[in-house]
Amino acid sequence: MSTPNANSNLNRPVHLGRRDVFLEKAMELFAECLQALPVKKRLGHIDVVLYYVQSSLEPAAMAVKAERADPQEEALIVFLRLVYCYLHSARAMMENESQLDNSRSPLWKFLHRDGKTESSMNFTRSSEQLLQDVAHLFRMAEEPFRDLQKKVADAMTHEDRARYQLAYENLKTHGQSAAHARRAVHERPNFLASS
């Protein structure tokens, strides 16, 4: 009879490879979210990064169930959830900025019964601040993530390291395909399903 963690132990290298490819892609693409572009285009960039963060979070959660999981992997999951929440919040704020700035919109009327207008500008700045916070979090996480990646790889058996590398390389190659790019653009993450 197998132990409860047998599947987690067996599939751990593959989950780690998937986690790492998706996180690296999220970090690489995030800069596009900071560009001064039309709101719709920026929202699209945020959606793509949300897709990759969520796609990294799911295998990270599976990999940490293994008996050999490093305690720092839990911290990485907390980091991924934090980034996901920040990005989702920035997206929601940005998506509604036009209503917050339009004195004829139902949202503006609901929030400004007394007619004051200064608060809508604060919302616009807050979405920018949230994106800057994500940029800062990604910069802070780069070195600890690389250290964890190396530490975990060093602790793997030769066979597990080969399985990790195969999963990593295959997904990285697939991630560069047009089919995967379309999926990342069109699959908006479901925040409620993963929280």
Side-chain angles (χ1 to χ4, degrees):
M1 186 162 152
S2 64
T3 64
N5 290 337
N7 284 339
S8 297
N9 292 335
L10 178 66
N11 294 321
R12 178 171 163 74
V14 175
H15 293 313
L16 291 170
R18 294 177 63 80
R19 177 200 72 187
D20 293 353
V21 168
F22 286 129
L23 178 53
E24 289 169 0
K25 191 73 169 176
M27 293 170 111
E28 173 189 325
L29 294 176
F30 177 73
E32 295 172 7
C33 298
L34 298 174
Q35 295 175 4
L37 298 168
V39 172
K40 188 172 183 175
K41 193 162 192 151
R42 286 182 85 189
L43 290 172
H45 289 309
I46 291 171
D47 284 344
V48 170
V49 175
L50 279 166
Y51 167 83
Y52 284 113
V53 171
Q54 181 174 334
S55 295
S56 180
L57 184 55
E58 292 166 354
M62 296 298 289
V64 82
K65 292 178 181 179
E67 295 167 354
R68 298 177 307 249
D70 187 281
Q72 285 298 305
E73 290 178 59
E74 288 283 352
L76 180 60
I77 290 172
V78 171
F79 164 78
L80 289 168
R81 286 182 179 145
L82 178 65
V83 166
Y84 191 87
C85 288
Y86 264 83
L87 277 171
H88 193 11
S89 296
R91 188 195 193 293
M93 294 301 295
M94 197 175 293
E95 190 173 39
N96 291 294
E97 282 173 5
S98 63
Q99 285 207 34
L100 291 167
D101 290 336
N102 180 355
S103 62
R104 294 184 180 154
S105 78
L107 180 59
W108 191 94
K109 288 177 182 176
F110 176 76
L111 295 173
H112 297 92
R113 292 187 322 208
D114 59 4
K116 292 183 181 176
T117 60
E118 303 87 38
S119 61
S120 64
M121 284 303 294
N122 292 336
F123 286 114
T124 302
R125 285 190 295 265
S126 68
S127 67
E128 291 299 324
Q129 183 59 53
L130 288 168
L131 290 174
Q132 290 301 321
D133 290 346
V134 172
H136 184 70
L137 285 168
F138 273 141
R139 284 190 302 272
M140 287 180 65
E142 178 71 30
E143 192 175 331
F145 169 61
R146 295 299 177 198
D147 290 346
L148 177 62
Q149 206 175 19
K150 182 180 178 342
K151 183 179 177 186
V152 168
D154 290 347
M156 287 182 189
T157 65
H158 177 71
E159 183 180 282
D160 282 351
R161 199 172 302 116
R163 290 183 68 225
Y164 167 88
Q165 200 61 40
L166 183 63
Y168 181 92
E169 292 300 327
N170 285 342
L171 186 56
K172 192 162 186 125
T173 300
H174 175 69
Q176 295 168 349
S177 71
H180 184 80
R182 279 191 304 276
R183 181 177 179 195
V185 168
H186 295 294
E187 269 193 30
R188 186 166 173 204
N190 183 349
F191 175 69
L192 297 176
S194 64
S195 59

